[in-house]
Amino acid sequence: MKILSIETSCDETGIAIIEANGDFENPQFKILGNALHSQIDIHKEYGGVFPKIAKREHAHNIIPMLQKAFEDASVATEKILDKNIFEEKFSKIEKILEREDGLYTLLKNFTEQNGIPKDIDLISVTSGPGLEPALWVGISFAKGLSVLWDKPLLAINHMEGHIMSVLLEEKLENTQNNKSIFPALALLISGGHTELVKINNWGSYEVIGKTKDDAVGEAYDKVARLLGLSYPGGPEIARLAKKSRSEGTQDKIELPRPMISHEGFDFSFSGLKTAVRYQIEKDFPEITEIPNEYKILIAGAFEESVKDVLIKKTREAVEKTGAKTLIVAGGVIANEYLRENLEKFSDEDVSVHFPSIKLSTDNAVMIAAAAYMNFLQNKITPTDQIRAEGNLSL
Ligand code: KG4
Ligand code: ZN
């Protein structure tokens, strides 16, 4: 079946189209289109994502993304020739789209020119967690398309999308005597979340640990800001930390490893950011411009601390849950050093899986994969009950 998915939970406007086949144990996916527009350049000016601006940008960019996804996937369309039917369909969705910054008119123009797709079977959209005004753009748009195209709509949890991102490019299997891949453990590390999740089966999740304050990605972004680096901080810090390791200076500055000796699987990263701030204030009480060599030292030390904490907590969680599979997903796993270190769990008889770097940060393809798995389980929310849930948990 062909699935179109929409992702607008934060600062990426994504529309993807995939072909999904196979059953629950052996799903197969083919990515046909993956249109993604990043708002980073706009949010950079403010040093973070502002929900109102994100909402406006999603509404501006979602139709061009739909157009691109249609082109990439060579979607066959047909025009609605009967003027009355066309107007009747649009009168039904006017209310749904009225709050979304002109999206109603944009969709009307798009449909007039392109018609509606002949072979999309299912529509899916992220309904949370995320920024509610941003989520609503995707949800309203998806509801509109569902009425217009007369296709079912599924609401998807963004974090389940990150988990399912590992299914898109490889087959997950436990090759040792055909053993099950479950229980599995997911380490989810993104800008908004840091969670350890026990997966008993696809769709059956138990959050066993999470951050008490800042998420890992948030800590990267905040430390980057302290160093005067641009948003998002993850890639910037990663670049400097790599330099620090190549110069062998990653242990020069000592930073704390928050919660590393605490029992349980919770994290805390706000203290690490504060420790960085104190360290900078101590070393440069008066200078406002921090020298690049010093930024490299801090980035190296910060990344070591993050790595140590993630590895320690994940190791304990693998042992406690008896996980046979480790899935690491979320934007922060675009980080090569963390990848390298987490990969080492495979020496301990755990099969380790990451999405490719491209599918690590937010995208709509992962939402489509999760939609297929939900569809196979008949997990369908009635369309009129779908709403943005900023704090939706797994
Ligand atoms: O999953 P994601 O795209 O969006 C959320 O759902 O939050 O994650 C974005 C986060 C940002 O905090 C960004 O700084 C971080 O992922 N990130 C990285 C790297 N690339 C992106 N963090 C560390 N190293 C990277 N290479
Ligand atoms: Zn995300």
Side-chain angles (χ1 to χ4, degrees):
M1 70 189 296
K2 276 202 181 117
I3 305 175
L4 177 134
S5 60
I6 301 166
E7 157 64 41
T8 63
S9 67
C10 190
D11 58 352
E12 311 277 343
T13 315
I15 298 208
I17 300 173
I18 68 166
E19 170 79 46
N21 291 297
D23 58 22
F24 202 59
E25 276 72 40
N26 188 21
Q28 290 132 37
F29 300 104
K30 189 166 170 216
I31 300 172
L32 304 176
N34 178 14
L36 199 58
H37 177 269
S38 169
Q39 303 174 2
I40 282 176
D41 285 341
I42 287 167
H43 298 297
K44 247 188 184 135
E45 288 177 35
Y46 306 94
V49 182
F50 275 81
K52 262 195 170 159
I53 298 173
K55 171 185 188 287
R56 186 196 67 199
E57 289 301 306
H58 285 308
H60 282 180
N61 293 310
I62 207 160
I63 293 283
M65 289 305 102
L66 184 66
Q67 180 99 47
K68 178 155 193 312
F70 270 30
E71 281 164 16
D72 291 351
S74 304
V75 171
T77 55
E78 58 190 334
K79 298 222 163 150
I80 308 174
L81 295 172
D82 188 321
K83 210 73 205 119
N84 291 333
I85 294 178
F86 183 93
E87 289 302 332
E88 193 197 318
K89 276 187 182 275
F90 271 90
S91 71
K92 277 194 206 155
I93 65 173
E94 189 163 11
K95 216 145 185 68
I96 299 173
L97 286 167
E98 71 185 353
R99 284 175 305 164
E100 309 302 345
D101 300 285
L103 194 48
Y104 174 76
T105 311
L106 292 170
L107 180 58
K108 204 168 181 180
N109 292 343
F110 175 86
T111 307
E112 225 161 17
Q113 281 162 24
N114 298 276
I116 60 174
K118 282 190 198 167
D119 59 354
I120 299 285
D121 305 295
L122 179 70
I123 301 166
S124 58
V125 63
T126 305
S127 62
L131 307 168
E132 289 195 359
L135 287 162
W136 268 119
V137 179
I139 292 171
S140 304
F141 190 60
K143 286 184 177 186
L145 293 185
S146 170
V147 172
L148 198 59
W149 300 353
D150 202 11
K151 295 295 170 201
L153 171 63
L154 277 189
I156 299 300
N157 181 314
H158 180 84
M159 301 316 288
E160 185 171 35
H162 276 302
I163 292 175
M164 300 291 189
S165 67
V166 298
L167 292 174
L168 282 156
E169 295 156 312
E170 60 171 334
K171 193 169 171 222
L172 258 57
E173 54 189 355
N174 190 325
T175 42
Q176 293 173 327
N177 309 324
N178 246 339
K179 273 194 290 189
S180 166
I181 60 168
F182 299 110
L185 180 77
L187 171 66
L188 302 178
I189 42 179
S190 71
H193 289 79
T194 302
E195 289 179 350
L196 278 163
V197 184
K198 184 181 177 206
I199 308 176
N200 300 310
N201 201 337
W202 302 124
S204 167
Y205 308 111
E206 234 176 284
V207 179
I208 60 169
K210 59 181 176 196
T211 182
K212 290 176 172 299
D213 38 61
D214 291 353
V216 189
E218 196 176 352
Y220 267 93
D221 296 337
K222 286 180 175 172
V223 167
R225 204 182 313 168
L226 289 172
L227 295 176
L229 304 167
S230 62
Y231 173 86
E236 293 283 308
I237 298 265
R239 187 173 54 78
L240 296 181
K242 188 171 180 184
K243 190 134 208 303
S244 170
R245 287 189 299 275
S246 75
E247 293 168 358
T249 60
Q250 70 275 24
D251 296 319
K252 269 231 154 123
I253 291 176
E254 212 182 295
L255 291 175
R257 268 74 175 145
M259 309 272 292
I260 200 159
S261 321
H262 279 60
E263 251 189 57
F265 307 113
D266 285 340
F267 301 89
S268 161
F269 287 101
S270 122
L272 178 57
K273 167 211 66 192
T274 309
V276 169
R277 185 156 61 78
Y278 288 159
Q279 187 72 39
I280 297 174
E281 284 168 5
K282 187 171 134 241
D283 293 339
F284 294 97
E286 273 150 42
I287 306 173
T288 45
E289 187 63 35
I290 304 165
N292 201 45
E293 302 80 68
Y294 185 80
K295 291 183 188 177
I296 293 172
L297 295 184
I298 291 280
F302 171 79
E303 202 154 278
E304 282 307 303
S305 167
V306 168
K307 177 208 70 179
D308 287 349
V309 172
L310 293 180
I311 295 285
K312 172 91 184 312
K313 293 285 170 192
T314 305
R315 168 155 296 115
E316 285 170 4
V318 164
E319 280 165 13
K320 173 88 188 286
T321 57
K324 300 182 172 108
T325 309
L326 173 65
I327 293 168
V328 192
V332 178
I333 203 57
N335 185 294
E336 284 173 17
Y337 186 58
L338 297 179
R339 234 168 227 257
E340 264 167 40
N341 280 282
L342 286 156
E343 179 71 54
K344 291 180 189 154
F345 278 93
S346 55
D347 301 339
E348 298 169 27
D349 261 2
V350 179
S351 79
V352 184
H353 302 272
F354 310 106
S356 63
I357 304 263
K358 191 163 173 260
L359 295 183
S360 294
T361 44
D362 287 352
N363 63 80
V365 192
M366 65 187 199
I367 303 304
Y372 185 60
M373 301 304 273
N374 277 264
F375 174 81
L376 291 178
Q377 285 178 297
N378 253 325
K379 282 190 184 163
I380 298 174
T381 323
T383 303
D384 56 354
Q385 286 175 26
I386 298 177
R387 58 189 177 84
E389 291 179 78
N391 295 319
L392 186 65
S393 60
L394 274 170

